[in-house]
Amino acid sequence: MRFYGLKTCDTCRKALKTLPEAEFIDVRADGVPEAVLQAALEQFGDALMNTRSTTWRGLDATEREKPLAELLKAHPTLMKRPLIVTESGMHLGWTPATQQALGVR
């Protein structure tokens, strides 16, 4: 299980406590591999973008109009977190549905 998130994100910290076996990848320091990012974009589309983040609020109108993949490569902290990749699929966010799918609820 791979866990893409931020070590400073409260939601990511909560999720990591519940998933101690997960391999943590800090998107700010390490980024998201191209293959994982493309698969996540195909599965989640616009839901992958966190428009409530301070990074998003700091972008000007021109930046916000760029394609989603380009924005996420340039600013990985714009990705909604956590993105959890397992053998059975991908999960976005730490929602009750994600927790149930991972068998922790």
Side-chain angles (χ1 to χ4, degrees), residues 1 4 9 12 14 18 20 33 36 50 52 57 62 64-65 70 72-73 78 86 94 97 99 104:
M1 176 182 305
Y4 296 90
C9 172
C12 290
K14 280 186 225 173
T18 309
V36 173
N50 180 4
R52 297 185 317 175
R57 290 189 300 250
T62 306
R64 289 181 181 190
E65 292 176 10
E70 188 178 321
L72 291 171
K73 285 179 197 172
L78 285 172
T86 66
W94 191 240
Q99 293 171 34
V104 295

Side-chain angles (χ1 to χ4, degrees), residues 51-69:
T51 56
R52 297 185 317 175
S53 73
T54 55
T55 305
W56 175 259
R57 290 189 300 250
L59 296 177
D60 62 30
T62 306
E63 280 280 308
R64 289 181 181 190
E65 292 176 10
K66 290 184 178 178
L68 187 56

Side-chain angles (χ1 to χ4, degrees), residues 13-43:
R13 281 190 257 179
K14 280 186 225 173
L16 278 171
K17 282 184 182 177
T18 309
L19 303 169
E21 74 282 358
E23 176 189 351
F24 177 73
I25 295 109
D26 189 317
V27 298
R28 181 176 286 136
D30 305 318
V32 180
E34 180 70 26
V36 173
L37 182 59
Q38 288 305 320
L41 283 167
E42 288 174 22
Q43 183 171 343

